[in-house]
Amino acid sequence: MVKIESSHFYFINKWWLTGICIIFGVILSNEFYLYIDMRKSILLLLFSFVIGSISAQKIIVEGGQKDVISYQKVSPASGLDGVYVLYGLDHAKLTFNSTTGNTLKWYSYTNNIAAKTLLKDTESLTSTLEGLTNNTGYVLEDGADIHRIWIIDYKQYEATALAVSSVNLSPCDELHLTPTASLYSMGYNEAVFPSNRKLLDIQLPIKFKTMEFSDASSAYVSKDNVVTINSLSADILLTEPPLMNTTFALGDDIFSAHWGLNKNVVTPEYTAVAVSAKGVAKHTPRDADNELEKTKGDLGGSAPVDVTFDAYANEPTTTFYSWEFATDDKFSNVFATFSAKEVRYTFSEAKIYYVRLTVSNTNNSCLDSTQTFTVEVTESSLNMPNAFSPNGDGKNDVFLVAYKSILKFNGWIFNRWGNELFTWTDPAKGWDGKIGGRYATPGVYFYVIEAEGSEGKKYNLKGAVNVFTGK
């Protein structure tokens, strides 16, 4: 028979066991002759050791189909000596050993300790109480000494099935699971007045599969997920619904794990409806040394700004993609939308743009949007050098404009007689100081620049440039 005491286990201490052996050795030794008074004193001392051991005993809990578990998270303020969880109440009984000679009185209570019911008061020294019931408190009065415990039959709460609740307030954002057994109500009532109901911390794992975005593979991948429920409500609430079709399985709580029950209560397959989106944006910068402020922030900078947007989501649950481009962060002024997963867009006009990705499932019942991407296109500027030295030393060898956010550009170089020597349309490039493959004669030359900036500003620039030390 498995049994457990309602407080710590009591063992005979080695030191007083040694003392008993010495005392018996003295009494029984033929080498010593003791006066009868000394023998009485020694026997009295021995008797006091035994009584001390017996009086330390408290309520012994026995029975059930497994060993009795003493729940460890009971506050002393509850008024209870202990809470005990049994697996079934087969042959369950309470035993108390007393040394006072008082009549031992057993009581029971459920909701209110002040309304306890007398069960038995006919024994002294040793008393046993049988016929225990689930979710019940028991009180043993031994004169002025009072002991209180609570009994729980785990089998009456054991979950045998689990189903996804038919009442889902918002299956896109949370999901309810309903066990067929009332695990959530397994608890005890304190042995104080007024009594409070305390639920057991059962540490129940719920296992299922979901998906998460992997930076390494740039995709949503499957992963095993475990949510541990400590104190249950009527339904099990999952604040992050699974992103793929899956089953839900109840594993072992702290009690079934202790008993080795290997619980695995599984639902039918659940069809996922929740969606999750991940957007990735990458700015493609240019490398011209004479272009100013090529980047600003993560995505913006000198126009034209080329950004590639890539969309990822938990497929196949996600079926629709929508990229929105707006000029305000509330997206009340959307000027372009795209349904492709990859979108490459060129931002030309100087302003701040806002972009986000929204995905949905087949019937548009669940939506998810990414963070908002901000693209700031700078205003233009255009400055001309007044000299350069095309001598091949790698320093100031080319006549280059310093610019940013120039969308249209035309440039010409003339000699003093008005003859056109060079023309170009890319502000990132310039005149290398050569005419017909040979370096121009040092001296003064003239430029004419016509350009347009990202904010619509027109540039009409004319001026002279000095050419030094050609070859």
Side-chain angles (χ1 to χ4, degrees):
M1 178 67 68
V2 179
K3 66 180 181 179
I4 189 170
E5 295 186 5
S6 65
S7 59
H8 301 290
F9 291 103
Y10 289 83
F11 301 95
I12 300 176
N13 292 316
K14 291 181 179 179
W15 69 267
W16 69 265
L17 179 59
T18 303
I20 292 175
C21 293
I22 294 173
I23 293 169
F24 273 107
V26 172
I27 295 174
L28 300 177
S29 175
N30 292 327
E31 298 179 7
F32 293 94
Y33 298 92
L34 300 175
Y35 291 107
I36 191 67
D37 290 340
M38 183 178 292
R39 290 184 177 181
K40 288 181 178 179
S41 298
I42 292 173
L43 290 172
L44 180 61
L45 177 62
L46 175 59
F47 183 72
S48 67
F49 274 121
V50 176
I51 292 299
S53 174
I54 294 174
S55 64
Q57 301 296 323
K58 295 191 178 179
I59 299 175
I60 298 171
V61 183
E62 300 177 86
Q65 300 170 23
K66 307 285 183 180
D67 56 312
V68 178
I69 297 177
S70 174
Y71 181 66
Q72 298 299 309
K73 297 184 178 182
V74 182
S75 169
S78 69
L80 291 166
D81 295 340
V83 172
Y84 300 93
V85 182
L86 292 77
Y87 192 71
L89 296 177
D90 313 56
H91 310 293
K93 65 179 181 179
L94 307 178
T95 303
F96 186 82
N97 297 312
S98 175
T99 60
T100 64
N102 294 320
T103 298
L104 302 178
K105 298 181 179 181
W106 291 98
Y107 298 86
S108 68
Y109 77 96
T110 51
N111 297 324
N112 186 350
I113 185 66
K116 62 183 184 293
T117 301
L118 180 63
L119 301 177
K120 190 175 183 181
D121 65 348
T122 59
E123 298 172 319
S124 60
L125 297 182
T126 298
S127 181
T128 299
L129 182 67
E130 298 180 333
L132 306 185
T133 57
N134 171 55
N135 196 33
T136 302
Y138 291 95
V139 180
L140 185 283
E141 291 185 0
D142 182 8
D145 293 334
I146 301 176
H147 307 281
R148 309 174 187 87
I149 66 170
W150 189 269
I151 297 296
I152 297 173
D153 178 10
Y154 179 89
K155 289 194 72 174
Q156 298 193 35
Y157 301 93
E158 190 173 14
T160 56
L162 182 71
V164 179
S165 174
S166 59
V167 180
N168 290 321
L169 299 179
S170 177
C172 305
D173 303 317
E174 62 183 36
L175 193 65
H176 295 252
L177 304 176
T178 304
T180 57
S182 303
L183 273 170
Y184 61 86
S185 65
M186 188 162 60
Y188 60 92
N189 292 334
E190 295 177 323
V192 295
F193 183 80
S195 177
N196 291 316
R197 180 72 174 174
K198 300 291 186 180
L199 298 180
L200 300 189
D201 179 3
I202 62 174
Q203 298 178 29
L204 174 69
I206 301 175
K207 306 171 186 178
F208 59 96
K209 287 185 177 295
T210 187
M211 301 184 83
E212 68 178 2
F213 182 76
S214 168
D215 291 318
S217 58
S218 295
Y220 274 79
V221 296
S222 170
K223 77 161 189 172
D224 294 325
N225 201 23
V226 178
V227 175
T228 300
I229 305 300
N230 295 321
S231 295
L232 295 177
S233 58
D235 280 349
I236 302 168
L237 176 63
L238 298 182
T239 56
E240 295 184 6
L243 299 176
M244 61 182 292
N245 295 354
T246 184
T247 59
F248 296 91
L250 289 182
D252 277 311
D253 55 57
I254 58 173
F255 304 108
S256 62
H258 175 86
W259 289 318
L261 298 182
N262 296 318
K263 302 293 293 182
N264 192 35
V265 179
V266 182
T267 69
E269 185 175 72
Y270 167 77
T271 301
V273 295
V275 295
S276 176
K278 173 74 174 180
V280 177
K282 184 178 180 180
H283 176 203
T284 305
R286 293 172 294 277
D287 57 4
D289 292 336
N290 60 321
E291 183 176 13
L292 308 176
E293 205 170 2
K294 288 187 282 291
T295 61
K296 185 170 185 178
D298 293 332
L299 300 176
S302 173
V305 175
D306 291 321
V307 182
T308 301
F309 298 92
D310 289 301
Y312 304 93
N314 58 315
E315 295 183 345
T317 304
T318 296
T319 55
F320 297 109
Y321 295 80
S322 177
W323 286 103
E324 296 177 285
F325 291 68
T327 54
D328 66 296
D329 59 1
K330 304 300 182 183
F331 288 86
S332 57
N333 183 24
V334 175
F335 63 87
T337 59
F338 302 92
S339 59
K341 293 182 184 179
E342 179 180 291
V343 175
R344 182 168 182 175
Y345 193 85
T346 300
F347 300 88
S348 300
E349 188 177 348
K351 61 178 61 177
I352 299 176
Y353 300 88
Y354 302 90
V355 182
R356 70 181 177 189
L357 169 67
T358 299
V359 301
S360 63
N361 57 7
T362 302
N363 59 6
N364 288 317
S365 61
C366 291
L367 305 174
D368 187 46
S369 296
T370 65
Q371 78 276 29
T372 297
F373 298 98
T374 302
V375 181
E376 182 176 356
V377 178
T378 62
E379 293 186 351
S380 66
S381 67
L382 183 61
N383 296 294
M384 311 302 299
N386 57 15
F388 74 110
S389 57
N391 55 15
D393 64 358
K395 299 178 181 179
N396 199 27
D397 283 336
V398 181
F399 176 75
L400 293 170
V401 302
Y403 75 98
K404 67 176 179 178
S405 292
I406 296 298
L407 302 180
K408 296 179 180 180
F409 181 89
N410 285 286
W412 297 269
I413 299 293
F414 300 92
N415 61 16
R416 67 181 64 187
W417 296 283
N419 297 320
E420 181 181 307
L421 306 179
F422 179 76
T423 183
W424 75 110
T425 58
D426 185 352
K429 299 178 180 180
W431 182 37
D432 61 3
K434 293 180 179 180
I435 303 173
R438 303 179 63 181
Y439 286 105
T441 303
V444 177
Y445 294 83
F446 301 91
Y447 63 82
V448 174
I449 302 293
E450 295 178 356
E452 183 177 336
S454 58
E455 74 278 32
K457 181 178 179 179
K458 305 289 186 179
Y459 293 87
N460 290 286
L461 305 177
K462 297 178 181 180
V465 57
N466 291 287
V467 177
F468 298 105
T469 315
K471 289 185 178 181

